[in-house]
Amino acid sequence: MSIVGHFINGKTVDAAERTQDVFNPATGEVSKQVAIAAKDTVEEAVAAASEAYKTWRNTQPIKRARIMFKFKQLLEDNAEKICALIGEEHGKISHDAMGELTRGIENVEFACTAPQMLKGEHSRNVGPDIDSWSEMQPLGVVAGITPFNFPAMVPLWMFPLAIVCGNTFVLKPSERDPSCALLLAQLLQEAGLPDGVFNVVNGDKVAVDTLLTDPRVEAVSFVGSTPIAEYVYATASANGKRCQALGGAKNHAIIMPDADMDNAVAALTGAAFGSSGERCMALSVAVCVGDEAADTFIDKMSHAMKDLKVGAYTDSSNDFGPVITEAHKNKVDGYIASAAEQGATIVVDGRDPKVAGYENGFFVGGTLIDQVKQGMTCYEEEIFGPVLLVVRAESMEQAMQMINDHEYGNGTCIFTRDGEAARYFSDNILVGMVGINVPLPVPVAYHSFGGWKRSLFGDLGAYGPDGVRFYTKRKTITQRWPSSGVREGAQFSFPSN
Ligand code: NAD
């Protein structure tokens, strides 16, 4: 059985003290093994990145950007191969894998503007014969730790920008779908990236802890579940590193009584069940304002769900695929069971769907649950499966209060025809990314991505302008070339104009 190894200093490394099974979630079978890096393997990658940094930091930004231009072309040329790998290990249907890859490529396109982003600021004559300017210098070695649910896009949020800013990078992808990261590394090498600038180590907590504590690592970008994000942020910070740690979510959509209900149902069908609900921006809670809106929504949604097609990634007519592991399937099924036990009503039950030819796959069908209330386990926790909860609110204020009270604050959306309500909502909701009749308000690559509350630990979001800030540190230089012969004596008062 093939082993997915590491990519260190421009070479594929297969050495593995330990390995772990990688499943094809559609068949439920083990398809390969992934090497689980020991501490010294991670240290080898950090050493390679540290050595490469000495030259890379001084490589002209335009030359760094040109490599990204070539990398973008190679990503497009190899799109089918990348999407097939995502399908095999994650289970995502090809149209959805293509969507994530395209979003990733947009981040590469943004990274190509590095020379413009790194220009800095300049002021002449801040004092007599004194000029001052700021420049954005790279940090050094940056580590990226990424989740299973976007094996291409989330790494692409991080390393293209970090690298064009002059840093070198060690990526630790999810051990559940590890192959995509290695292919990205090979394409970067083909694009002309010098050895050691980008490295991949596969592994688990041992690899993560090594990256979080190695003094040569200057900064850590993490994306994953909230408990791990919190741990990563605390450990990296305690070790003197800059850290951004993006965590989990529970994204609510408010359905106002005046909403275009057909539009809202169509939007939520994709946003709740697409990618099996395994998106940090999935809309997993519909808060209907008034019983009439709730009844209409439930009626139309249960009707729309009859057409949902769940199946293997190989059939592009499927809407979504399996969840990532058997353990995760059992967890999602458990949340559905707990909802019924705690008094909610299961309107459409997706447990154990029949997928012909894939009887052992980790499938959960689309599930709709009504009469969900605050305090229920299914409401308080992130399910990360194709499960849509319906909560009934008496007013918009009450609906907004629920969202503001929830521990997560990643994304949210309101469906309404009322501009005043929409504006009030976006002004007062305590969530980082807000949609108005837009179900998945994932910011484009030239904005930045980030939730509030326990969905993000750290000051800066991912990619876009925040990404440039995160992967650089400002240096401000103040310079005087005195006019001929003029010399000042010692000055004991604080310099001012
Ligand atoms: P996860 O937290 O299990 O894993 C994320 C990374 O952390 C992986 O690389 C994993 O190997 C590593 N890891 C796991 N356990 C660890 C431990 N004990 N110590 C150190 N490292 C550990 O997350 P996941 O299941 O891969 O991904 C799904 C989660 O990610 C969901 O909660 C989802 O909301 C979140 N997510 C958030 C965003 C965002 O932008 N906010 C984006 C995508 C996914």
Side-chain angles (χ1 to χ4, degrees):
M1 189 167 288
S2 65
I3 293 188
V4 184
H6 319 290
F7 188 85
I8 300 174
N9 209 15
K11 290 178 193 63
T12 305
V13 178
D14 288 333
E17 278 172 25
R18 289 185 293 143
T19 57
Q20 189 173 311
D21 292 341
V22 178
F23 286 86
N24 177 335
T27 62
E29 284 164 8
V30 176
S31 60
K32 47 192 108 154
Q33 300 274 306
V34 58
I36 300 295
K39 193 170 193 288
D40 57 355
T41 306
V42 182
E43 286 173 346
E44 204 187 310
V46 174
S50 194
E51 186 58 31
Y53 178 63
K54 292 176 190 161
T55 313
W56 186 246
R57 73 184 287 269
N58 291 321
T59 303
Q60 296 94 307
I62 191 79
K63 290 194 172 168
R64 297 184 207 140
R66 276 187 197 136
I67 292 171
M68 285 301 151
F69 271 108
K70 285 194 188 147
F71 180 52
K72 165 188 151 62
Q73 187 60 52
L74 289 169
L75 288 172
E76 286 168 353
D77 295 347
N78 288 275
E80 236 173 79
K81 199 167 157 189
I82 296 169
C83 291
L85 269 185
I86 295 175
E88 266 168 55
E89 294 180 5
H90 175 286
K92 210 173 268 198
I93 314 299
S94 54
H95 51 78
D96 190 25
M98 196 59 206
E100 91 154 268
L101 179 60
T102 305
R103 273 301 184 107
I105 289 173
E106 288 171 13
N107 286 93
V108 180
E109 288 165 343
F110 181 71
C112 291
T113 65
Q116 166 68 16
M117 295 182 299
L118 298 173
K119 270 195 321 202
E121 298 155 347
H122 187 273
S123 297
R124 188 176 154 75
N125 285 338
V126 295
D129 296 328
I130 299 176
D131 302 331
S132 182
W133 71 92
S134 300
E135 51 189 53
M136 313 308 287
Q137 295 203 344
L139 307 175
V141 179
V142 174
I145 300 155
T146 52
F148 81 84
N149 66 321
F150 285 108
M153 184 183 78
V154 171
L156 288 168
W157 282 1
M158 300 175 179
F159 70 78
L161 203 48
I163 286 174
V164 293
C165 288
N167 303 284
T168 55
F169 206 91
V170 179
L171 174 67
K172 207 300 285 169
S174 171
E175 62 277 36
R176 287 181 269 179
D177 44 18
S179 298
C180 184
L182 286 186
L183 179 53
L184 298 182
Q186 281 151 12
L187 296 180
L188 265 180
Q189 187 176 47
E190 208 179 318
L193 194 74
D195 291 349
V197 175
F198 181 67
N199 308 275
V200 179
V201 284
N202 277 307
D204 56 11
K205 184 170 164 53
V206 171
V208 173
D209 285 345
T210 307
L211 292 168
L212 297 180
T213 51
D214 190 309
R216 294 166 296 183
V217 174
E218 292 289 337
V220 177
S221 288
F222 172 90
V223 176
S225 61
T226 287
I228 309 296
E230 208 165 14
Y231 166 77
V232 164
Y233 186 73
T235 312
S237 305
N239 282 275
K241 302 181 198 315
R242 184 179 286 193
C243 184
Q244 54 178 188
L246 284 71
K250 194 81 180 178
N251 305 313
H252 299 61
I254 295 186
I255 317 277
M256 294 292 283
D258 70 343
D260 176 334
M261 203 54 90
D262 292 324
N263 181 34
V265 167
L268 261 118
T269 310
F273 307 119
S275 204
S276 318
E278 289 176 324
R279 292 179 181 146
C280 67
M281 289 293 277
L283 276 180
S284 52
V285 187
V287 189
C288 298
V289 176
D291 279 330
E292 199 182 326
D295 292 339
T296 312
F297 178 78
I298 295 265
D299 184 48
K300 286 181 182 279
M301 179 54 87
S302 34
H303 191 72
M305 287 173 69
K306 290 195 173 77
D307 295 330
L308 284 179
K309 256 190 95 187
V310 55
Y313 69 96
T314 38
D315 179 353
S316 61
S317 73
N318 285 328
D319 295 316
F320 61 92
V323 298
I324 187 72
T325 56
E326 185 167 26
H328 191 56
K329 172 185 157 54
N330 294 338
K331 194 170 167 193
V332 175
D333 287 350
Y335 278 118
I336 300 170
S338 79
E341 283 155 24
Q342 292 172 14
T345 310
I346 315 283
V347 182
V348 180
D349 191 341
R351 283 173 287 183
D352 294 317
K354 300 286 163 269
V355 182
Y358 294 91
E359 284 73 14
N360 296 322
F362 311 138
F363 292 99
V364 183
T367 298
L368 182 65
I369 307 179
D370 190 15
Q371 300 290 354
V372 172
K373 302 215 162 35
Q374 283 175 303
M376 290 182 180
T377 313
C378 68
Y379 177 79
E380 298 300 337
E381 297 181 12
E382 182 183 38
I383 298 177
F384 225 53
V387 180
L388 177 61
L389 311 179
V390 177
V391 181
R392 292 165 181 248
E394 283 169 16
S395 64
M396 178 177 166
E397 280 295 341
Q398 194 195 9
M400 285 177 62
Q401 194 60 48
M402 274 179 215
I403 299 175
N404 288 348
D405 287 346
H406 206 284
E407 65 168 326
Y408 294 122
N410 217 37
T412 189
C413 170
I414 188 167
F415 289 94
T416 183
R417 289 183 167 105
D418 181 342
E420 191 184 344
R423 193 160 192 273
Y424 182 80
F425 176 74
S426 63
D427 277 354
N428 294 292
I429 205 73
L430 302 178
V431 173
M433 293 171 281
V434 178
I436 313 287
N437 298 316
V438 172
L440 294 178
V442 178
V444 291
Y446 41 98
H447 285 254
S448 297
F449 183 107
W452 286 13
K453 298 186 277 185
R454 287 168 56 77
S455 292
L456 175 95
F457 301 89
D459 303 322
L460 292 166
Y463 66 77
D466 270 15
V468 179
R469 279 271 181 272
F470 184 79
Y471 294 124
T472 57
K473 55 190 166 195
R474 178 187 293 270
K475 184 177 278 178
T476 305
I477 298 135
T478 304
Q479 169 180 276
R480 165 148 65 174
W481 293 109
S483 313
S484 54
V486 179
R487 292 282 185 278
E488 278 179 17
Q491 222 188 337
F492 294 97
S493 51
F494 199 70
S496 65
N497 282 307

